[in-house]
Amino acid sequence: MFPYEHVIYFDRASKIPVYRQIAISITNAIRNGILKAETRLPGSRELAKTLGIHRKTVIAAYEELDAQGWITVIPRKCVSVAAHIPSLKPQKWIAGDIPASYENDLNLPFRIVEEHIADEDAGSVPEIIIDDGHPDVRLSPIADLLKTYRSLTSRKYAIKSAHTGTTQGTLSLREALVSYLSVTRGLNSSVENLLITHGAQMSIYLAAQLLLERSSRVIVGKPNYPVANKAFEEAGAKVIEVDVDDQGIDTDAIEIICGKERINAVYVIPHHHYPTTVTLNVERRMKLLELSKRFSFAIIEDDYDYDYHYGSSPYLPLASAHHRGNVIYIGSFSKILDPSLRIGFMVAPKNFVAQCMALRSVIDVSGDGYMQNALATLMNGGELKSHIRKAKKIYHRRRSFLDNLLKEKLEKYVSYVLPTGGMAIWIKLNPAFSLAQLALNPRLRISKIDKERNAFRFGFASLDETELEQAVGLLETGLQRMEGGVANQITQR
Amino acid sequence: MFPYEHVIYFDRASKIPVYRQIAISITNAIRNGILKAETRLPGSRELAKTLGIHRKTVIAAYEELDAQGWITVIPRKCVSVAAHIPSLKPQKWIAGDIPASYENDLNLPFRIVEEHIADEDAGSVPEIIIDDGHPDVRLSPIADLLKTYRSLTSRKYAIKSAHTGTTQGTLSLREALVSYLSVTRGLNSSVENLLITHGAQMSIYLAAQLLLERSSRVIVGKPNYPVANKAFEEAGAKVIEVDVDDQGIDTDAIEIICGKERINAVYVIPHHHYPTTVTLNVERRMKLLELSKRFSFAIIEDDYDYDYHYGSSPYLPLASAHHRGNVIYIGSFSKILDPSLRIGFMVAPKNFVAQCMALRSVIDVSGDGYMQNALATLMNGGELKSHIRKAKKIYHRRRSFLDNLLKEKLEKYVSYVLPTGGMAIWIKLNPAFSLAQLALNPRLRISKIDKERNAFRFGFASLDETELEQAVGLLETGLQRMEGGVANQITQR
């Protein structure tokens, strides 16, 4: 007799009802060719006895299998495996559970995007994380946002409206944004020029996918926000790097390149270039606009950091100038409220927005309409404005506080230029010290390190004064220890 | 004297402070070539008089322009436009405001994804929207979800953890999902096999981008979920359609095609095929797995509708069978909780998930970590399970209720097969009546119409009994009117 007791597994402690476990076991046995088509199965009484369970449980399992077409039940006569199960090549039965198929690799050809994926941050959370410039979520009006979100989900009208029209972003968020961009940036747009995305990166990706192809060339700063470069490479374009100095990207160099080869797009981060935090000066802004006109290239203006400028008002975006529609303007709320809140935007001519929408609907349909409407409510009620005003003051203070701390504690180890805005200071470590080694401290995590330049972005916005002191303290201790090590090595010679 | 009063505009009622409005006007004039480099500007006293404003306002504007490098101020001597402003081609001054650049089209080459973008749903909300199968958000535990979200944002640890590791999805959601998939689907996976996306569509897009290229061929059902086809076309692949009958996709036809040409992937919706709601039978499931092995193609299994099956338990996914890792399994929470909640997932071998993550980080970095953790809390606390149990009962009742209504009111106009699960009935209109015409009723919106087949999906889950009656009533009235029209035409002959 067939060893059902070895084929059918169940665990009374499992969350899955026993009858389903039995049905699954039998299904697996059929799938594996152990039980062939039309094989007669034991009667319910017999199987119940073999397995030491109640007969009703077996009946329930058989009913389930019957309903799903795996077996044929002729009441009071017999139970057998259905006739039309294609017989797979029988396999040797492996005692124990079926091995998980997902333990295998996928052995079909597929595209490799990245040779080595960096390990995700380990599960343990260190005392201090130095990010590359995140807002302090503790200051953000998240509670207000969620209160509105919640009230929206309980209103009938909102339920209907949140379902529709969200590929472009909800109308109310686009309306609020048109007014916000006009007031803060002198940017003259309409709801048709706006696309709400999951953040600045998605706007870059969409623009890259539509503007660039295999033969295209795009100019970027060197160094540059690395994920933007990846988006351009993903579109198949050749990425041409142009130096970024203390006034921003070198527009004279761009002019020379444009004279030699066809350039399709230039990507700039005019406020607080990533990673070096430089602001693009006025002369170069003008020049860039002029070049864009002369050589017919699109400007992808990533202005993610516009709202935090501490000296004067920030420069108006290139997108606010007279550019005849060839500036794709990109911004995000992740830097204003919460990096976890995935809402960003693109401002572009209507014909381009329409195509971005078409592509976006293929990528992920749409965003979270409730969250967008809740954000619109926050903007219309003035809470966003007053949050930015408050946060700006606090971040300004934190920047100065960190500046003083760095001067006091780390002057001999680091160099930097205090940025006029943004949420991070670009800090270069003196060549005698290794940043990679410094970052090994388990009590401290530096989230983005540029090993090539022995430098990192010290995000000061998300840490309060005590935390900044703690972070600098941990850096100081590490550097002193390294210095000791260096001194020891010298002494030993 | 230069007509500053015609160049400088300000509006005291505007939200922008007057001094900034003045600074913006002057900046625009410089940008447009009206004010050339080194042009001397009037003194603050003089300009204040010309414009009829306070002198301090002019000083503030000049300070702003100075700080931004637009002008040079020599205190107590003179103010002039900065020397290093490249002179753009002067343009004729247009009275009134600067025209918005975003009124122009983008006149550079870019890729056209879709020739004609369907109009977004009009602003007015009709009495009834018949969707193509959405959950009823009013039943969903959104309040609980948001309460958790809110509490997470106020905890220090959660703030840190929500920032990190979210490209793959937060660890706690992946852990909760591994257990959920095991209990509900017998799917044996680990957290490394899981990628959290913005919904089923993003999982399809990622799989398509990696598995397919220009020379690839993918088999889909006919008719099929149209946005999936678009994702495959976007990846450059050739989409081959295979008929879907009342037992699901025709696997014999797939076998014949595979014998003739190399097939890279087969896309299936085993539970309640979109749009026809058919469930793939057991025999064909087995056959498909066998073909996948024989012809080495990937199966993209879109099981978005798994959780709602009303007869017996749903069939186990292909992904739960012995498939050696070539099934990419796709699911979503949009259909369980709320279409606006953008959380879906992919289960795949680790090597494939790693590459999907790499691509996903280029597309939009990550999802909303707080929302993911809040969902994990809901799953771990059993609220999701009891929500599904409750919703399933209610949707089952609504399906029967709609079935009765259709028989009672629309029998002579429509035909359909009652689906064994899901959230919609696929309804064909008799050829004498035009669905397109029926959909013109402003009181009723049918969100997805298949004009070719004169058919639509009647989503019954999101409408309660009263609303279902209302919807069928509106359809009945429309059809009776059409019938009258037809009768009239006949009489008139």
Side-chain angles (χ1 to χ4, degrees), chain A residues 64 84 120 165 282-283 313, chain B residues 64 68 84 120 165 282-283 313:
Chain A
E64 175 99 8
H84 295 293
E120 283 288 303
V282 170
E283 201 179 339
S313 294
Chain B
E64 174 100 9
Q68 295 191 4
H84 295 291
E120 283 287 304
V282 171
E283 202 180 339
S313 296

Side-chain angles (χ1 to χ4, degrees), chain A residues 64 68 84 102 111 113 120 127 160 165 201 205 210 282-283 313-314 327 340 342 355 362 364 369, chain B residues 64 68 84 102 106 111 113 120 127 160 163 165 201 205 210 282-283 313 327 340 342 355 362 364 369:
Chain A
E64 175 99 8
Q68 295 189 5
H84 295 293
Y102 286 116
R111 182 157 65 96
V113 178
E120 283 288 303
E127 283 165 43
K160 286 180 177 172
Q201 185 61 32
Y205 180 82
L210 294 191
V282 170
E283 201 179 339
S313 294
V327 179
S340 215
R342 305 303 301 152
Q355 296 306 320
V362 176
D364 81 332
Chain B
E64 174 100 9
Q68 295 191 4
H84 295 291
Y102 286 117
L106 184 65
R111 182 158 63 97
V113 178
E120 283 287 304
E127 284 166 44
K160 287 181 177 171
H163 283 202
Q201 185 61 33
Y205 181 82
L210 295 190
V282 171
E283 202 180 339
S313 296
V327 178
S340 216
R342 303 305 301 153
Q355 296 307 320
V362 176
D364 82 332

Side-chain angles (χ1 to χ4, degrees), chain A residues 15-16 20 31-32 64 67-68 70 84 86 88 91 100-102 104-106 108 110-114 117 120-121 125-127 134 138 142-143 146 149-150 153 156-157 159-160 163-165 179 182 184 188 193 198 201-202 205 209-210 227 231 234 282-283 286 290 296-298 312-317 319 321-327 329 338-340 342 347-349 351-352 354-355 357-359 361-370 445 467, chain B residues 15-16 20 31-32 64 67-68 70 84 86 88 91 98 100-102 104-106 108 110-114 117 120-121 125-127 134 137-138 142-143 146 149-150 153 156-157 159-160 163-165 179 182 184 188 193 198 201-202 205 209-210 227 231 234 282-283 286 290 296-298 312-315 317 319 321-327 329 338-340 342 347-349 351-352 354-355 357-359 361-370 445 467:
Chain A
K15 285 184 220 163
I16 312 181
R20 277 210 76 193
R31 279 176 156 147
N32 285 300
E64 175 99 8
Q68 295 189 5
W70 288 99
H84 295 293
L88 290 181
Q91 293 168 353
S101 302
Y102 286 116
N104 299 318
D105 272 351
L106 184 65
L108 302 172
F110 60 91
R111 182 157 65 96
I112 301 299
V113 178
E114 212 165 72
I117 304 283
E120 283 288 303
D121 292 321
V125 175
E127 283 165 43
H134 285 172
R138 294 167 293 189
I142 303 290
L146 294 175
Y149 189 127
R150 189 169 160 178
T153 56
K156 199 175 166 186
Y157 177 86
I159 286 176
K160 286 180 177 172
H163 282 202
T164 57
S179 139
S182 162
T184 58
N188 194 343
N193 299 124
H198 278 299
Q201 185 61 32
M202 188 179 227
Y205 180 82
Q209 287 287 321
L210 294 191
V227 200
E234 176 63 26
V282 170
E283 201 179 339
M286 306 283 304
E290 188 232 347
S296 287
F297 59 73
S312 59
S313 294
Y315 294 158
L316 291 182
H322 217 25
H323 56 76
R324 295 165 181 265
N326 53 3
V327 179
Y329 185 75
D338 174 359
S340 215
R342 305 303 301 152
V347 190
N351 62 336
F352 190 71
Q355 296 306 320
M357 264 172 70
L359 178 57
S361 74
V362 176
I363 294 175
D364 81 332
V365 187
S366 70
D368 183 338
Y370 295 126
R445 186 189 300 155
E467 291 160 339
Chain B
K15 284 182 221 166
I16 312 180
R20 277 209 77 194
R31 278 176 157 150
N32 284 299
E64 174 100 9
Q68 295 191 4
W70 288 99
H84 295 291
L88 290 181
Q91 293 169 352
I98 300 275
S101 301
Y102 286 117
N104 300 319
D105 271 353
L106 184 65
L108 302 171
F110 61 89
R111 182 158 63 97
I112 301 299
V113 178
E114 210 166 73
I117 306 282
E120 283 287 304
D121 292 322
V125 175
E127 284 166 44
H134 287 172
V137 182
R138 294 166 294 189
I142 303 291
L146 294 175
Y149 189 126
R150 190 169 161 176
T153 57
K156 202 174 162 185
Y157 177 85
I159 284 176
K160 287 181 177 171
H163 283 202
T164 57
S179 139
S182 161
T184 58
N188 194 344
N193 298 124
H198 278 299
Q201 185 61 33
M202 188 179 226
Y205 181 82
Q209 287 286 319
L210 295 190
V227 200
E234 178 63 26
V282 171
E283 202 180 339
M286 306 285 303
E290 187 233 346
S296 285
F297 59 74
S312 59
S313 296
Y315 294 158
H322 216 25
H323 56 75
R324 298 167 178 263
N326 54 3
V327 178
Y329 185 74
D338 174 0
S340 216
R342 303 305 301 153
V347 190
N351 63 337
F352 190 71
Q355 296 307 320
M357 263 174 72
L359 178 57
S361 74
V362 176
I363 295 176
D364 82 332
V365 187
S366 70
D368 183 337
Y370 295 126
R445 187 190 300 156
E467 290 160 339

Side-chain angles (χ1 to χ4, degrees), chain A residues 181 187 189 193-195 327-330 345-349 353, chain B residues 102:
Chain A
L181 293 173
L187 205 156
S189 65
N193 299 124
L194 278 168
L195 176 69
V327 179
I328 315 294
Y329 185 75
I330 288 169
F345 56 88
M346 169 197 285
V347 190
V353 165
Chain B
Y102 286 117

Side-chain angles (χ1 to χ4, degrees), chain B residues 72-142:
Chain B
T72 312
V73 178
I74 303 174
R76 289 171 204 287
K77 274 197 77 179
C78 74
V79 179
S80 54
V81 176
H84 295 291
I85 303 296
S87 85
L88 290 181
K89 197 176 146 208
Q91 293 169 352
K92 213 184 148 198
W93 178 254
I94 299 151
D97 254 316
I98 300 275
S101 301
Y102 286 117
E103 280 177 6
N104 300 319
D105 271 353
L106 184 65
N107 283 317
L108 302 171
F110 61 89
R111 182 158 63 97
I112 301 299
V113 178
E114 210 166 73
E115 277 305 328
H116 173 74
I117 306 282
D119 285 320
E120 283 287 304
D121 292 322
S124 73
V125 175
E127 284 166 44
I128 290 285
I129 298 176
I130 298 181
D131 59 48
D132 60 344
H134 287 172
D136 190 338
V137 182
R138 294 166 294 189
L139 305 173
S140 295
I142 303 291

Side-chain angles (χ1 to χ4, degrees), chain B residues 250-372:
Chain B
D250 181 349
T251 42
D252 290 335
I254 294 178
E255 186 173 15
I256 292 168
I257 295 169
C258 286
K260 287 183 196 160
E261 49 188 347
R262 166 100 188 95
I263 295 299
N264 300 75
V266 173
Y267 170 81
V268 276
I269 313 172
H271 279 108
H272 327 131
H273 181 76
Y274 191 104
T276 59
T277 77
V278 171
T279 299
L280 189 63
N281 77 14
V282 171
E283 202 180 339
R284 293 190 182 177
R285 282 168 191 254
M286 306 285 303
K287 174 101 183 194
L288 197 57
L289 283 169
E290 187 233 346
L291 293 176
S292 151
K293 204 173 143 191
R294 177 141 55 105
F295 295 106
S296 285
F297 59 74
I299 297 175
I300 302 174
E301 182 177 21
D302 184 354
D303 209 13
Y304 76 96
D305 226 5
Y306 180 89
D307 291 279
Y308 297 111
H309 208 86
Y310 307 126
S312 59
S313 296
Y315 294 158
L316 291 181
L318 298 168
S320 305
H322 216 25
H323 56 75
R324 298 167 178 263
N326 54 3
V327 178
I328 316 293
Y329 185 74
I330 289 169
S332 166
F333 287 96
S334 313
K335 293 285 175 182
I336 298 178
L337 288 170
D338 174 0
S340 216
L341 184 83
R342 303 305 301 153
I343 302 184
F345 56 88
M346 170 198 283
V347 190
K350 195 184 158 190
N351 63 337
F352 190 71
V353 165
Q355 296 307 320
C356 285
M357 263 174 72
L359 178 57
R360 192 262 165 86
S361 74
V362 176
I363 295 176
D364 82 332
V365 187
S366 70
D368 183 337
Y370 295 126
M371 195 62 99
Q372 292 177 13

